[in-house]
Amino acid sequence: MVAKKLVASISLALSLVGVVSGSTVDSSKIVTWDKYSLKINGERLFTFSGEFHYYRLPSPDLWADIFEKFKALNFNTASIYFYWGYHSPKQGVYDFEGVRDISKFLETAKKYGINIISRAGPYINAEVSEGGFPGWLTTINGTARTSNPSYDEAWKEWLTAVDKHLVPNQIGNGGPIILNQLENEYAVGLDPSYMVALADKYKKDGMDVPTTFNDPWTGGHWATGEGAVDIYGWDSYPVLFDCSHPDVWPSNVSTYFRDFRDSTNPTEPMALYEFQGGAIDGWGGAGFEKCRELTNERFAKIFYKNNYAQGATIQSLYMGYGGTSWGEIPTTAVYTSYDYGSPITEAGLMTPKAYEIKLQGAFLRDVKPFVSTTNTTAEVDNDAIRVDGIKDISSDTTFYIVQHAFSNTTNVDKFHVTVDTNDGKFAVPRKSGTAITLNGRDAKIITASYDFGSQHLLYATSDIFTHTQQDARDVLLVYAYEGEDGEVAITSSANKVQAYGTSAGVSSTLNKNVLQINYKYPHGSAFISATGKNGKELLLIVSGYDTAVKWWAPQTSKGETVLISGPYLVRSAEINGKRLALTGDTDATTNLEIVVSSAVKQVTWNGVNVSVKSTKYGTLTGKVSGPNKNIKLPDLTKSTWKYSPASPETTNDFDDSKWVAADHKTTTNPFPPTSLPVLYSDDYGYHTGSLWFRGKFKSSSDISGIKVNATMGYGSAWVAWLNGKYLGGETDIVKDFSIKQSDLEKSGDNVLSLLMWTTGHEEDWNVNDQYKTPRGFTEVSLTGSKKTPISWKVQGNLGGENIVDTVRGALNEGGLYGERMGWHLPGYPDQNWKKVSLPDTKRSGVSWYRTTFDLNIPKNHDVPLGIRFKESSSTERLRALLFINGWQFGKFANDLGPQTLFYVPEGILNHHGENTIAIGVVAVDEEVTLGEVTIEPYAKLLSGKPTVGVVNSPTYASRKSSH
Ligand code: IPT
């Protein structure tokens, strides 16, 4: 251990001075593979992974919380996109500090035993602005994701920077990284020399774990030939993304991959680098709770088990934890929340799908023969059922995966499956009048001929959660929906069966050394003590599904499995002599039942003693407390808010002399403007958030209107003023304003002020530079015979590419007056602002609101919080930005929705002190009202989560001194 640490720190030191030379131990010798699975140090691994983006959780201490939850759900791996634009405000400038500290992130993964599939792009897609490219890349002259020289120079710079953190964290250096993905879904506009250059660059920098590629479909891209990776795989989202109809699945969505793999990359494990874990939702969408319904726990049963049936042994769920696309992270079509309907919610909470994943994950972890199988014949006596047989290559163990032939049916079907056992081949269940049931959308894995501990299982007609050996006895836990028949047969010489716990109608028969146990799945758990092989006891636990989901199977650092029933979450278990120390979370007072070695006499829960009793059948029971549900939260509807108008840019005497002149006559942008000068913000170094353009022109008697053609993403809006007077606000691109001569200045300049509230840039899925789609205007012209010229100034975020707030980074702010002046920051002196309460009265232009509030969340509680906008008017359109302690945590569009509740992670929010909230509101219509704003808890849990420190959040004072 010490040696490993030393090795890791030496290589870290080397990497810091830029001498990166691969792993101390060549990672490609540690991570190997064959057609069945990945192997780590020669040991097969079912790679059970979830996607997690550090940049969607900018509270580094919470990374530990999520990784610990991954572990609790029995994920052993996380797939991570590294996001170029998150680290680089300007060409040549890279930042890996604070919330961007990916070394800390990777070390945290390692601490919780989570392997990493590294995906540093350069392109990532991921619903982030520009698909992960930095803002400055929009102005390169050349197509991205090709061998174009300017793009080549740019991405090499990124890999040089990020590889310094990735290389020392490879498995050969004692780190968690086991695989390295090249590019992302690169399946159109293919340029093999670009793929080869990527592989070469990674290698040169010292990345020596096997390379991977995620094909967007079974297209065979980069599986063979020039640019091929080591372990090819693909993505699949079988129920797609229509969250507004969560019950509707394609009629037969079963995707049968085995033949494709066998013909495309027959020597590599079947890898699903992105398999649907939830769904995208965008502006005006159905909301993520609906996406979670579309991809619910029954979806997880059917589709994940279907993957296993096809032989997949690398499966990464996109997303495992979605998080928050805070600030300017989201690409144009999506809003702030990136909950994704994933197993762990945006606020870090458990869901039915998380529990289902935990059940599957324990099976994949503990039933080893499942990781190395070939297909075998299988029979079922009902045509409505599909059965896939898979057999271990090195034992007799066979698995039968059953699902409905039509995945979307909600029929109840009963049937028998023929299993191959060492007692012969026969249909199970054997007890007459009983059957295996698929009750609507469901799938099961039936195991046959399986040696575990001292036992031999002939078959079990329902799913195995886990098994373990404690003292002299074996424990096996199986589950199915309540009321369904269960039959388990083991090798035994005695019919000694004793049932405890919830009654399950247990019966048993012994026939030629086969002990057959029958029961019905109870509402609860039945504990069945049976005499198994060689007279050794088997404790068979049979749980109805609703109880099964509350079983946890953590492993101690010495590799012992402990079974705990009851809690909302069990994070960890350690055994020290007589004492079992558990950590976890409860949502109410909870009865525990613990299955552990008889040596354990004492139990602690989050460090507090639990008084436990032993049961007749050798388990421990006890009770742990729930949270305090009367936690007081501040009532922001009673707060005094400070208000300031915030669009002085609309007035003619506003001083824009320090603004950048928008005077370019040419652009490298592939989408050229129709009028000049070029009014594309990116061309002037402004890549994020709101933009101002001020145009000046002389009056002329022929002017009768202004023609405006905007270029912006979905969800954006723009507002126009002429000489301080509101002309109109638009969410469409094209508008012709008519102008009366009386609107124009008699002498001096007319000023046309245009404010654009933007959403992020497009992605680049099609390799056609779509990400460069400009933000600004393709045309602004005066209608009239003389073609009066307009001279322009442009303004965006303070400093442009030379960002001022290096702590919060390039994606926190845009160019609203309040953002440029630091009104979003804690400590801004707003004493002289007007006092108001919300809902406010009608306001026009841009308005800013600020207040502070204290939080005092009691010790050991996890109370994730969000800020809710309550609309007081639905007809007037507004766009708002929400800042908490200076961090932008919400983009609110009242006419689009669907998001009104904005999660703000602890760390960004100080749960034990003062917080500053600031809201910038753009009136798209002439006058708008900001409604009530409230603080809401997502849950109240008594929690054993790691301590969360407050994230460094510089105040207004530090911003001033940085000028
Ligand atoms: C897949 C992308 O690889 C991933 O980055 C993300 O955008 C995901 O889609 C959708 O959330 S592309 C897949 C739909 C073929």
Side-chain angles (χ1 to χ4, degrees):
M1 189 61 204
V2 174
K4 244 191 186 170
K5 255 201 168 156
L6 196 66
V7 163
S9 57
I10 290 171
S11 62
L12 186 71
L14 288 177
S15 78
L16 291 177
V17 295
V19 193
V20 182
S21 58
S23 301
T24 315
V25 180
D26 183 352
S27 299
S28 68
K29 300 264 167 8
I30 302 178
V31 184
T32 57
W33 69 90
D34 61 15
K35 67 181 292 186
Y36 303 107
S37 74
L38 221 54
K39 294 180 205 170
I40 311 268
N41 289 315
E43 211 179 298
R44 291 195 183 279
L45 176 75
F46 194 109
T47 308
F48 192 50
S49 168
E51 184 87 13
F52 171 23
H53 300 150
Y54 59 96
Y55 47 86
R56 285 183 160 122
L57 185 61
S59 179
D61 289 336
L62 280 177
W63 297 339
D65 180 57
I66 298 299
F67 280 129
E68 194 170 42
K69 285 168 177 161
F70 266 49
K71 192 76 195 167
L73 298 182
N74 300 314
F75 283 125
N76 52 36
T77 303
S79 165
I80 316 290
Y81 278 138
F82 294 92
Y83 175 3
W84 181 2
Y86 191 65
H87 298 273
S88 182
K90 184 181 180 178
Q91 185 150 24
V93 179
Y94 287 86
D95 181 356
F96 294 91
E97 306 270 307
V99 301
R100 274 167 271 282
D101 186 348
I102 61 173
S103 290
K104 173 172 175 154
F105 180 77
L106 292 167
E107 283 154 20
T108 309
K110 175 75 194 170
K111 181 175 166 197
Y112 290 93
I114 300 292
N115 300 317
I116 297 291
I117 301 172
S118 175
R119 315 205 292 162
Y123 183 72
I124 61 173
N125 209 63
E127 287 75 72
V128 298
S129 190
E130 295 169 46
F133 292 147
W136 56 263
L137 199 77
T138 52
T139 56
I140 64 158
N141 195 359
T143 308
R145 309 176 73 193
T146 69
S147 329
N148 173 277
S150 358
Y151 176 64
D152 187 78
E153 186 192 331
W155 69 256
K156 283 186 176 153
E157 175 186 303
W158 157 241
L159 286 197
T160 299
V162 72
D163 284 348
K164 289 195 178 126
H165 298 266
L166 301 181
V167 170
N169 282 295
Q170 294 183 103
I171 193 162
N173 284 330
I177 297 176
I178 56 166
L179 294 171
N180 181 30
Q181 181 182 301
L182 306 189
E183 247 285 345
N184 186 75
E185 301 198 306
Y186 184 48
V188 277
L190 311 178
D191 182 342
S193 44
Y194 167 47
M195 278 299 269
V196 170
L198 280 172
D200 289 350
K201 169 66 179 160
Y202 273 122
K203 201 177 219 167
K204 184 168 150 250
D205 286 354
M207 290 298 279
D208 50 18
V209 291
T211 59
T212 66
F213 176 70
N214 69 322
D215 207 340
W217 64 88
T218 46
H221 303 104
W222 318 113
T224 51
E226 193 185 359
V229 296
D230 292 328
I231 308 173
Y232 165 83
W234 56 92
D235 300 350
S236 175
Y237 293 79
V239 295
L240 303 169
F241 304 104
D242 181 7
C243 301
S244 56
H245 299 97
D247 290 339
V248 181
W249 289 355
S251 70
N252 191 355
V253 270
S254 295
T255 32
Y256 300 116
F257 295 133
R258 190 185 291 277
D259 294 346
F260 170 75
R261 194 281 304 270
D262 289 350
S263 65
T264 309
N265 56 329
T267 59
E268 298 159 23
M270 187 187 296
L272 296 162
Y273 291 117
E274 279 180 34
F275 195 81
Q276 187 152 25
I280 321 174
D281 195 44
W283 292 110
F288 283 117
E289 283 315 313
K290 293 281 179 199
C291 297
R292 210 181 326 278
E293 244 178 276
L294 174 70
T295 59
N296 63 8
E297 76 283 3
R298 288 177 178 263
F299 163 84
K301 279 172 184 281
I302 294 170
F303 288 94
Y304 304 165
K305 288 177 185 176
N306 180 62
N307 292 339
Y308 315 149
Q310 306 306 306
T313 58
I314 300 177
Q315 175 184 267
S316 190
L317 303 181
Y318 191 98
M319 299 292 296
Y321 168 75
T324 310
S325 301
W326 62 280
E328 303 298 335
I329 287 176
T331 186
T332 179
V334 299
Y335 49 91
T336 305
S337 174
Y338 199 69
D339 176 280
Y340 212 82
S342 41
I344 303 173
T345 72
E346 183 180 18
L349 302 176
M350 294 293 117
T351 62
K353 183 164 53 189
Y355 291 147
E356 171 60 30
I357 283 165
K358 171 189 62 179
L359 294 174
Q360 293 185 27
F363 173 81
L364 299 174
R365 180 190 70 188
D366 296 335
V367 182
K368 303 285 186 208
F370 200 69
V371 75
S372 48
T373 61
T374 53
N375 50 337
T376 182
T377 52
E379 278 169 55
V380 58
D381 61 357
N382 182 337
D383 287 347
I385 302 299
R386 175 189 171 98
V387 59
D388 287 278
I390 58 176
K391 187 173 187 305
D392 180 24
I393 51 166
S394 48
S395 74
D396 288 337
T397 306
T398 309
F399 304 92
Y400 303 90
I401 292 106
V402 290
Q403 58 181 315
H404 276 111
F406 289 93
S407 314
N408 63 355
T409 184
T410 53
N411 291 349
V412 182
D413 277 297
K414 301 211 178 241
F415 55 92
H416 300 80
V417 171
T418 301
V419 293
D420 195 356
T421 75
N422 57 0
D423 196 33
K425 264 191 172 187
F426 45 84
V428 296
R430 294 209 268 193
K431 182 173 177 172
S432 73
T434 69
I436 303 173
T437 306
L438 284 185
N439 188 346
R441 292 176 176 176
D442 192 8
K444 295 188 201 300
I445 302 172
I446 292 160
T447 303
S449 289
Y450 177 44
D451 287 319
F452 67 98
S454 321
Q455 307 294 340
H456 181 75
L457 176 75
L458 277 92
Y459 60 89
T461 60
S462 55
D463 285 276
I464 294 176
F465 172 44
T466 184
H467 57 76
T468 184
Q469 212 167 13
Q470 292 170 347
D471 309 324
R473 79 171 171 188
D474 294 289
V475 179
L476 172 70
L477 198 156
V478 293
Y479 63 93
Y481 285 119
E482 288 77 1
E484 293 183 8
D485 300 322
E487 187 172 292
V488 170
I490 56 172
T491 301
S492 174
S493 51
N495 186 358
K496 267 175 70 187
V497 171
Q498 181 75 51
Y500 305 90
T502 311
S503 152
V506 176
S507 65
S508 62
T509 57
L510 183 72
N511 188 0
K512 287 193 283 170
N513 285 337
V514 175
L515 176 63
Q516 178 186 315
I517 304 172
N518 288 88
Y519 52 88
K520 270 197 193 310
Y521 278 95
H523 289 271
S525 297
F527 296 80
I528 305 167
S529 167
T531 303
K533 196 175 164 193
N534 302 327
K536 295 267 171 72
E537 186 194 355
L538 172 69
L539 180 67
L540 171 67
I541 308 173
V542 304
S543 291
Y545 190 75
D546 290 349
T547 308
V549 296
K550 292 292 181 69
W551 276 105
W552 300 87
Q555 283 178 339
T556 67
S557 53
K558 292 189 198 109
E560 295 159 275
T561 302
V562 182
L563 292 177
I564 303 114
S565 164
Y568 174 87
L569 170 68
V570 174
R571 293 169 179 268
S572 71
E574 274 306 331
I575 299 175
N576 209 329
K578 286 201 282 189
R579 180 180 299 246
L580 168 67
L582 299 172
T583 66
D585 297 11
T586 51
D587 55 355
T589 305
T590 302
N591 291 320
L592 300 185
E593 181 144 16
I594 302 166
V595 188
V596 65
S597 135
S598 60
V600 170
K601 306 285 181 213
Q602 295 164 1
V603 175
T604 63
W605 176 262
N606 296 332
V608 178
N609 270 321
V610 183
S611 101
V612 285
K613 287 203 188 100
S614 347
T615 61
K616 279 191 224 139
Y617 48 96
T619 67
L620 297 174
T621 58
K623 193 181 266 188
V624 287
S625 347
N628 172 2
K629 295 268 182 181
N630 298 320
I631 297 165
K632 279 231 161 56
L633 294 173
D635 181 356
L636 296 185
T637 66
K638 302 226 167 68
S639 300
T640 302
W641 291 76
K642 293 298 190 68
Y643 156 81
S644 172
S647 31
E649 300 93 336
T650 62
T651 59
N652 285 22
D653 55 3
F654 178 79
D655 178 9
D656 63 13
S657 57
K658 299 226 170 66
W659 286 23
V660 171
D663 55 3
H664 295 185
K665 296 290 188 313
T666 59
T667 178
T668 57
N669 198 288
F671 309 97
T674 49
S675 75
L676 290 174
V678 177
L679 298 178
Y680 295 170
S681 69
D682 291 299
D683 287 39
Y684 302 97
Y686 300 116
H687 307 299
T688 52
S690 296
L691 307 164
W692 280 96
F693 292 86
R694 295 184 91 239
K696 294 182 184 159
F697 61 92
K698 299 282 186 238
S699 294
S700 165
S701 59
D702 67 315
I703 296 174
S704 61
I706 303 173
K707 187 175 175 208
V708 183
N709 228 319
T711 166
M712 60 186 192
Y714 191 72
S716 305
W718 58 277
V719 190
W721 291 264
L722 180 63
N723 298 326
K725 196 178 140 211
Y726 176 84
L727 279 184
E730 300 299 323
T731 50
D732 291 337
I733 293 173
V734 187
K735 180 74 183 180
D736 290 335
F737 298 107
S738 58
I739 291 177
K740 295 195 227 72
Q741 279 293 312
S742 58
D743 296 332
L744 298 176
E745 296 288 328
K746 298 281 164 295
S747 60
D749 284 332
N750 294 286
V751 181
L752 175 64
S753 302
L754 299 173
L755 166 62
M756 180 175 277
W757 186 94
T758 73
T759 53
H761 283 77
E762 280 78 359
E763 296 169 298
D764 195 43
W765 211 87
N766 288 310
V767 196
N768 57 1
D769 272 356
Q770 200 72 35
Y771 80 96
K772 291 181 179 170
T773 307
R775 296 295 177 255
F777 300 90
T778 51
E779 168 156 15
V780 183
S781 54
L782 297 165
T783 32
S785 50
K786 291 193 190 136
K787 303 246 171 294
T788 305
I790 311 177
S791 73
W792 288 97
K793 288 283 184 95
V794 59
Q795 183 62 278
N797 67 299
L798 186 63
E801 292 177 0
N802 300 306
I803 56 165
V804 180
D805 187 344
T806 53
V807 171
R808 297 183 184 85
L811 302 174
N812 191 53
E813 45 187 85
L816 290 179
Y817 189 78
E819 292 174 283
R820 280 155 31 220
M821 296 298 131
W823 292 359
H824 56 298
L825 298 172
Y828 176 78
D830 58 16
Q831 300 87 309
N832 298 330
W833 288 19
K834 194 177 152 74
K835 288 183 181 168
V836 297
S837 59
L838 298 182
D840 193 19
T841 54
K842 291 194 173 210
R843 308 280 180 191
S844 58
V846 185
S847 308
W848 277 73
Y849 299 86
R850 290 173 51 90
T851 192
T852 59
F853 58 89
D854 290 332
L855 290 174
N856 186 16
I857 304 299
K859 242 182 106 200
N860 301 329
H861 279 71
D862 184 19
V863 183
L865 297 171
I867 303 290
R868 168 94 66 192
F869 285 87
K870 297 197 170 172
E871 295 178 62
S872 52
S873 157
S874 51
T875 50
E876 303 150 347
R877 296 166 300 167
L878 62 81
R879 294 286 180 276
L881 299 181
L882 166 70
F883 289 90
I884 298 290
N885 298 326
W887 300 81
Q888 193 204 129
F889 259 82
K891 285 189 191 301
F892 176 55
N894 69 335
D895 56 321
L896 291 177
Q899 190 175 11
T900 58
L901 179 61
F902 295 86
Y903 171 63
V904 186
E906 182 179 358
I908 294 296
L909 268 177
N910 181 352
H911 277 202
H912 310 281
E914 192 186 74
N915 294 280
T916 301
I917 175 169
I919 301 171
V921 180
V922 174
V924 179
D925 285 311
E926 190 159 10
E927 287 189 312
V928 302
T929 311
L930 178 63
E932 277 183 358
V933 171
T934 56
I935 299 183
E936 279 182 26
Y938 288 79
K940 292 175 184 168
L941 302 170
L942 192 60
S943 173
K945 76 171 181 192
T947 320
V948 180
V950 176
V951 176
N952 175 23
S953 300
T955 62
Y956 178 70
S958 63
R959 182 177 188 111
K960 275 193 83 182
S961 60
S962 74
H963 275 290

